[in-house]
Amino acid sequence: MLLLGAMFIHGYSWTNHWAASQAQTYSLHGRWDEAIPFWAWTIWPYLALNLLYPLTFFLCPTRSALRRHALAIALVQAACMLAFVCWPTGNVRVLPQPDGVSGLLFAQLRAFEAPFNMAPSLHAAVLVVVWQAWRQWLQADATALRWLWHGACGLILLSTLTTWQHDLLDVLAGLLVGALALWITRPRRLR
């Protein structure tokens, strides 16, 4: 967990600085993204992933499940950071600065996250892996908790758009990266 956290912090920071130094960055921003509103309050679910991410390492019931989870996180981070270097992307929107506590949270976020590294959305990719870890941990008979978890993850995913941290195609690309990481690290059945 600590190694992957360090990989994220240093790798993400370096790729942000690298993208900022490029003469040109790209964007997957489309006309449909103009219809997505900015909702300052959704910074709360957006940042909630930062709390859920480390907790997932304590949910794995076996050592092999922990290894698969850590490998999925490592794959997601490596794939996204490789994409950030090979195809630097930047935010084309003017990001509002809200007031109040949400505004303070946005200021803290922007101190770490420059408006680069848009595609694929690392936030969405990590969310897929975190979603799966918690989904497996929640008991099958705890239907209400599982639906609550799915709803919370849906809100986190929506927040990547409504905080204007990512555009729709960035998020879809991130979901694909996360799903591929889960597929690669799935348990294999011996025949």
Side-chain angles (χ1 to χ4, degrees):
M1 177 183 71
L2 295 176
L3 182 61
L4 290 169
M7 175 188 176
F8 168 75
I9 290 169
H10 295 295
Y12 193 82
S13 180
W14 181 82
T15 55
N16 249 304
H17 286 100
W18 187 85
S21 72
Q22 299 305 297
Q24 178 183 2
T25 58
Y26 303 93
S27 174
L28 295 177
H29 185 81
R31 277 192 240 171
W32 50 83
D33 292 304
E34 296 301 323
I36 297 172
F38 178 84
W39 294 336
W41 67 269
T42 58
I43 189 66
W44 294 90
Y46 183 85
L47 292 176
L49 185 60
N50 296 344
L51 297 174
L52 296 168
Y53 168 88
L55 294 176
T56 58
F57 290 89
F58 299 100
L59 299 177
C60 299
T62 65
R63 209 176 269 254
S64 64
L66 178 60
R67 284 190 195 113
R68 282 192 311 275
H69 177 70
L71 180 58
I73 293 287
L75 286 172
V76 157
Q77 290 182 171
C80 287
M81 289 178 197
L82 180 63
F84 299 155
V85 170
C86 293
W87 195 63
T89 51
N91 199 334
V92 297
R93 292 189 256 203
V94 176
L95 300 173
Q97 181 56 47
D99 297 327
V101 178
S102 293
L104 292 174
L105 292 174
F106 269 102
Q108 291 298 312
L109 176 67
R110 291 183 183 144
F112 176 71
E113 278 191 30
F116 298 100
N117 294 352
M118 301 283 289
S121 168
L122 180 55
H123 210 81
V126 166
L127 178 62
V128 170
V129 178
V130 168
W131 167 78
Q132 175 69 1
W134 281 84
R135 189 183 70 79
Q136 288 178 336
W137 182 74
L138 292 170
Q139 297 299 321
D141 57 337
T143 306
L145 281 177
R146 286 176 71 114
W147 280 108
L148 184 63
W149 174 241
H150 297 321
C153 287
L155 186 57
I156 292 170
L157 190 63
L158 177 69
S159 74
T160 61
L161 298 169
T162 58
T163 55
W164 289 3
Q165 294 298 303
H166 293 282
D167 293 322
L168 185 59
L169 291 178
D170 306 334
V171 172
L172 294 175
L175 292 173
L176 180 62
V177 169
L180 284 172
L182 288 180
W183 181 77
I184 290 168
T185 60
R186 74 193 184 281
R188 305 287 196 263
R189 291 191 183 137
L190 298 176
R191 291 185 176 197

